[in-house]
Amino acid sequence: MTEPLVASLERRAQSDHWVYHDGELRRYGDTHVGLLTHALHYGTGCFEGIRAYWSAQQGRLNVFRMPDHFERMRGNARMLHMELPHPVDELCALTVEILRRNAFTSDVYVRPLVYKANEEIGIRFHDLRDGFMIVTVPFGAYVDTTAGIRCQVSSWRRIEDNVAPARSKSTGIYVNSALAKTEACLNGFDEAIVLTHDGNVSEGSAENIFLLRRGCLITPPVTENIVEGITRSTLITLARDELGIEVVEREIGRSELYVADEVILCGTGAEVSPVIEIDNRAVGDRTPGRVTRQLQELYFGVCRGQDARYASWLTPVV
Ligand code: PMP
């Protein structure tokens, strides 16, 4: 069957991209993993998601909080009996080299993955070889950050830390996220909000959550089976230091979602996304709220290299 020209051109472009795989810089199209790869069958991997923002003004990409992402990945890998093949500074330098070679002039998503690479049957983590890759892809908005999104409280509960380490970004755990996201989308919503087994608010399918109530930002603590988000920590800093807003980390009951003045989902992919409706109830006046817009402006200013105060969060690709 002949495929559309555009699709084949895009695929050729992707196959030409530089990636890092098992110690070598190669073209995407020249690297392969085998059918029996352990992680593909058993979810025995863990990944990161990092964004690099194109600055037209500076004529370069800037990678956002890259050392923090690789530090988190190092800890997550340890939980799963894996080890990153290089120290954090070398991983950052490698990523810069890949991005430099790929010469993208738009925003990019960087996907490092460490995984059990043996091609064999048998469930375990120990006595298996670690594979490692870094792949980069041009990437725009993951969800609509302007008009706001409509969410549904999921019927799926967030994975419990004693079932599998919830904060670990291990690939297998994302079955939980995918079920919640798909349920929400098939029901006509944009995103899912997932509760813990105890019924408290945990997070989105791939985002942390903030509520604004009576001028105070509230977010679940790291013990609520969340991923310890880097965007979450960024927004906590920006809210406290730039807007002078109090941020409280505490348990959030489901019905607090329905009386919040503003709700934000945030993550590397989702960035700062205003939630305008939850379970068919308006959040505020069904438009992005004032604090949400202020945080968005600050966040994008920092990411795009327009805020010198936070330049240390950016790694330039030069
Ligand atoms: N929760 C989950 C389940 C996620 O996958 C992500 C995205 N990594 C986040 C929260 C947000 O984390 P970060 O801000 O570090 O991207």
Side-chain angles (χ1 to χ4, degrees):
M1 215 188 346
T2 53
E3 64 182 331
L5 181 63
V6 173
S8 96
L9 283 176
E10 276 171 12
R11 188 154 67 235
R12 203 169 311 137
Q14 170 140 313
S15 72
D16 281 346
H17 292 168
W18 286 96
V19 301
Y20 182 74
H21 187 210
D22 288 351
E24 281 180 56
L25 286 163
R26 300 182 200 169
R27 302 276 186 180
Y28 185 96
D30 296 334
T31 99
H32 300 282
V33 292
L35 294 182
L36 271 177
T37 299
H38 199 271
L40 190 57
H41 295 253
Y42 302 123
T44 46
C46 92
F47 68 89
E48 263 307 321
I50 310 171
R51 262 189 196 263
Y53 285 88
W54 175 251
S55 163
Q57 200 186 350
Q58 296 168 322
R60 68 174 194 224
L61 281 168
N62 294 302
V63 194
F64 186 61
R65 298 192 70 172
M66 180 160 56
D68 296 320
H69 280 278
F70 280 122
E71 280 298 350
R72 177 170 73 180
M73 190 179 193
R74 174 172 305 287
N76 289 342
R78 191 184 311 130
M79 274 182 229
L80 302 167
H81 302 276
M82 295 188 281
E83 218 179 305
L84 299 187
H86 306 284
V88 166
D89 57 340
E90 282 178 27
L91 291 167
C92 291
L94 257 173
T95 304
V96 166
E97 175 59 16
I98 296 164
L99 289 170
R100 205 186 52 74
R101 289 190 187 205
N102 284 332
F104 299 121
T105 53
S106 59
D107 296 348
V108 179
Y109 191 81
V110 179
R111 165 53 53 79
L113 172 72
V114 60
Y115 63 101
K116 290 299 178 187
N118 296 57
E119 295 177 48
E120 63 176 67
I121 304 293
I123 301 171
R124 66 191 187 283
F125 275 110
H126 64 282
D127 294 339
L128 291 172
R129 184 175 65 78
D130 294 344
F132 181 76
M133 66 177 78
I134 302 173
V135 182
T136 64
V137 281
F139 198 69
Y142 179 70
V143 293
D144 182 1
T145 54
T146 47
I149 56 173
R150 298 173 56 249
C151 293
Q152 175 189 40
V153 172
S154 184
S155 72
W156 296 98
R157 295 296 169 105
R158 176 68 182 158
I159 188 121
E160 198 355 89
D161 205 32
N162 287 302
V163 174
R167 61 174 45 67
S168 69
K169 290 192 73 65
S170 61
T171 54
I173 282 178
Y174 278 80
V175 164
N176 186 211
S177 293
L179 285 167
K181 175 84 178 186
T182 291
E183 179 191 55
C185 290
L186 295 184
N187 285 338
F189 297 87
D190 303 304
E191 251 307 342
I193 295 172
V194 189
L195 307 180
T196 64
H197 219 76
D198 294 336
N200 297 327
V201 173
S202 180
E203 56 177 8
S205 73
E207 307 88 7
N208 292 119
I209 190 166
F210 286 88
L211 271 60
L212 184 81
R213 292 196 71 192
R214 301 182 196 98
C216 174
L217 275 171
I218 312 165
T219 194
V222 296
T223 44
E224 290 285 67
N225 300 322
I226 65 170
V227 165
E228 295 178 33
I230 287 163
T231 319
R232 174 182 180 274
S233 95
T234 302
L235 292 191
I236 291 174
T237 301
L238 295 176
R240 282 182 181 151
D241 296 356
E242 303 302 331
L243 301 180
I245 292 177
E246 187 188 352
V247 184
V248 178
E249 296 178 53
R250 68 151 171 87
E251 289 179 1
I252 297 174
R254 172 180 183 161
S255 58
E256 288 192 84
L257 292 169
Y258 307 137
V259 292
D261 300 316
E262 299 183 29
V263 177
I264 301 169
L265 286 179
C266 72
T268 299
E271 301 170 302
V272 182
S273 296
V275 177
I276 54 163
E277 204 181 294
I278 301 173
D279 290 345
N280 300 307
R281 294 158 177 89
V283 176
D285 64 359
R286 233 187 217 100
T287 60
R290 189 173 59 87
V291 170
T292 306
R293 283 185 280 112
Q294 285 175 325
L295 282 171
Q296 271 187 328
E297 201 178 317
L298 281 164
Y299 182 79
F300 286 120
V302 170
C303 293
R304 299 235 171 259
Q306 293 155 355
D307 193 332
R309 294 168 300 178
Y310 294 95
S312 66
W313 276 344
L314 301 178
T315 307
V317 177
V318 284

